[in-house]
Amino acid sequence: MSQDDVPEPLRDAADSDRPRGILTPSDRDFLLGRKTDYTEHSKKQKRNRIRRRVRNAILDFSILFEYLEDRDRNTVFDPDDEDREALTQGITDVLAFLHLGTMGYYTPFKDMLSEGVGKAEQRLAGSNYRMVNVEFNVDPVGQIDVDEVIEKLENERFEQLTDEELRAFVRLLTMSEDFSPEETREDIKSRVDEYARRVNESAETRDQRLEELTN
């Protein structure tokens, strides 16, 4: 797989010149299929080394959480503008990898997520008296009534649209042969200023009405 064949969200992660992380440059070339001259035995050894390295990287996070200085952690999560999108994608994929990898694990992912967020909150508060509720649910998006969604859109009843309807409708839209991401992007960009103007007008009107009612 050449760099041009890598999906856009993975371009920065798959960069051959990127320094070593959990994976060595050789590991990346192996997983991306850039290097194929492996025997079956060497493939097995490579996979074993990657598995060990990933597991030990996970264990390393216990040390990073407890002992890495705040300024070092903050620097990790303060990338330059050109690196921000790739880092965000990486964080998202870390969560996806953990969620997928812990399916069937003896401790449910949601319990570990809740405990982890709780520990972070206690660290921020400097006290184990800081207790929070963390909700995590995976609700599949099912069937939607397309006519009903269209009716809401036509009548600008946007507040009645559910997250489920929005996600399903957008997915259905992208499945249409008439859908063009590039044309849609340009069309929406051309309307952003008008949308922002109307939002600002509504906020100003709201503030004026509130002032009239409270005076």
mmCIF file of all heavy atoms in Angstrom, residues 14 116 188:
data_model
loop_
_atom_site.group_PDB
_atom_site.id
_atom_site.type_symbol
_atom_site.label_atom_id
_atom_site.label_comp_id
_atom_site.label_asym_id
_atom_site.label_seq_id
_atom_site.Cartn_x
_atom_site.Cartn_y
_atom_site.Cartn_z
ATOM 1 N N ALA A 14 0.144 7.187 8.938
ATOM 2 C CA ALA A 14 0.850 6.227 8.098
ATOM 3 C C ALA A 14 2.110 6.800 7.458
ATOM 4 O O ALA A 14 2.794 6.097 6.697
ATOM 5 C CB ALA A 14 -0.091 5.710 7.005
ATOM 6 N N GLY A 116 -12.133 5.201 35.078
ATOM 7 C CA GLY A 116 -11.057 6.057 34.578
ATOM 8 C C GLY A 116 -11.406 7.530 34.642
ATOM 9 O O GLY A 116 -10.600 8.356 35.075
ATOM 10 N N ILE A 188 -22.665 24.399 1.453
ATOM 11 C CA ILE A 188 -22.841 24.724 2.875
ATOM 12 C C ILE A 188 -21.939 25.881 3.276
ATOM 13 O O ILE A 188 -22.348 26.785 4.012
ATOM 14 C CB ILE A 188 -22.571 23.474 3.738
ATOM 15 C CG1 ILE A 188 -23.689 22.450 3.517
ATOM 16 C CG2 ILE A 188 -22.486 23.847 5.218
ATOM 17 C CD1 ILE A 188 -23.488 21.148 4.272
#
